[in-house]
Amino acid sequence: MKIKKGGKRPMGSEKETEKTEQAEEIKEDACKKEDNQEPEKEEVKKEKSQEEILSENLKDSQDKYLRLMAEYDNFRKRSAKERLEINANATANVIGEILPVFDNFERALQTETTDESYKAGVEMIFNQFNEMLKKLNVEIIDPTGETFDPNIANAVNQIEDPELGENVVAQTFQKGCKIGDKVIRYAMVVVANP
């Protein structure tokens, strides 16, 4: 309803106005209560957010710690593997340098001599040398009479021999050598009936 200036209000409108004023007061009280409760809620939110922040920081720190431990463990394993490889390579290099001396001792045993004590001395040195190589896990490769294997021997010559089978090593010029699966020196052989 519209009220004219200076005019009278209808009777029903005074009650409506009072109700409206009461409703406004109730709204104001509710807003004040909400305003008073908001700081408490904010404090709770701040506390939770601090807890959440601390929890996240803890998780991040734990994750970094676990990653660092895994990285250190990988480094330790890699270092141990490298040390073993360096040791194996050093041993292989030294054995590779010593093998010609071993070959010469073997040739010395095959030569004929009238001095038996001299021959016994050379035999003793050769056997001692051979035992030392065995302690270092060195295996001498002599493929004579076996099927030719290019993984352990190099064929330097070929012959035709009806007594031997196909692709059989007829003669070994120089014995090979390996440590475990690693070949230090390939055997030099003659292959029959390739």
Side-chain angles (χ1 to χ4, degrees):
M1 279 190 181
K2 288 187 180 180
I3 301 174
K4 294 181 183 177
K5 277 188 175 179
K8 292 183 180 176
R9 289 184 188 174
M11 281 183 106
S13 65
E14 286 178 15
K15 288 181 180 177
E16 288 177 14
T17 305
E18 285 177 20
K19 287 181 182 177
T20 306
E21 287 174 2
Q22 287 175 353
E24 286 178 15
E25 286 176 13
I26 292 171
K27 283 181 184 177
E28 285 177 18
D29 288 341
C31 286
K32 286 180 184 176
K33 286 181 182 176
E34 286 178 8
D35 288 343
N36 290 338
Q37 288 178 354
E38 281 180 16
E40 291 175 13
K41 287 181 181 176
E42 286 177 15
E43 288 177 17
V44 171
K45 286 182 183 177
K46 284 181 184 176
E47 288 177 16
K48 286 184 180 177
S49 64
Q50 286 177 351
E51 287 177 13
E52 290 172 357
I53 289 171
L54 291 174
S55 176
E56 289 174 6
N57 287 342
L58 179 62
K59 286 180 184 176
D60 288 344
S61 296
Q62 287 175 338
D63 185 50
K64 287 178 185 176
Y65 173 74
L66 289 174
R67 289 179 189 271
L68 183 64
M69 288 302 296
E71 190 174 320
Y72 174 73
D73 190 45
N74 290 339
F75 169 75
R76 187 178 51 77
K77 288 176 183 175
R78 189 171 49 248
S79 296
K81 183 179 177 185
E82 287 173 359
R83 276 194 305 273
L84 289 174
E85 287 176 0
I86 289 170
N87 187 23
N89 288 337
T91 304
N93 290 339
V94 170
I95 297 299
E97 294 295 322
I98 292 175
L99 283 176
V101 178
F102 181 78
D103 293 338
N104 288 334
F105 268 111
E106 194 171 29
R107 286 186 198 105
L109 280 175
Q110 293 171 355
T111 58
E112 293 187 25
T113 182
T114 56
D115 191 356
E116 290 299 318
S117 60
Y118 174 76
K119 186 170 185 171
V122 172
E123 256 180 38
M124 287 173 59
I125 293 171
F126 178 77
N127 290 335
Q128 187 178 14
F129 209 145
N130 205 12
E131 289 300 315
M132 182 217 36
L133 291 176
K134 286 180 183 176
K135 284 180 184 175
L136 293 172
N137 296 324
V138 175
E139 182 183 342
I140 303 298
I141 302 169
D142 185 5
T144 305
E146 298 175 8
T147 304
F148 174 70
D149 182 2
N151 295 320
I152 59 168
N154 288 330
V156 293
N157 199 0
Q158 301 173 4
I159 60 168
E160 296 293 328
D161 190 346
E163 293 178 11
L164 296 173
E166 186 177 321
N167 232 11
V168 173
V169 176
Q171 183 183 0
T172 301
F173 287 135
Q174 186 179 47
K175 293 179 181 176
C177 179
K178 67 180 183 175
I179 297 176
D181 292 335
K182 183 176 182 177
V183 176
I184 296 171
R185 182 176 78 179
Y186 291 89
M188 291 172 38
V189 298
V190 175
V191 180
N193 309 319

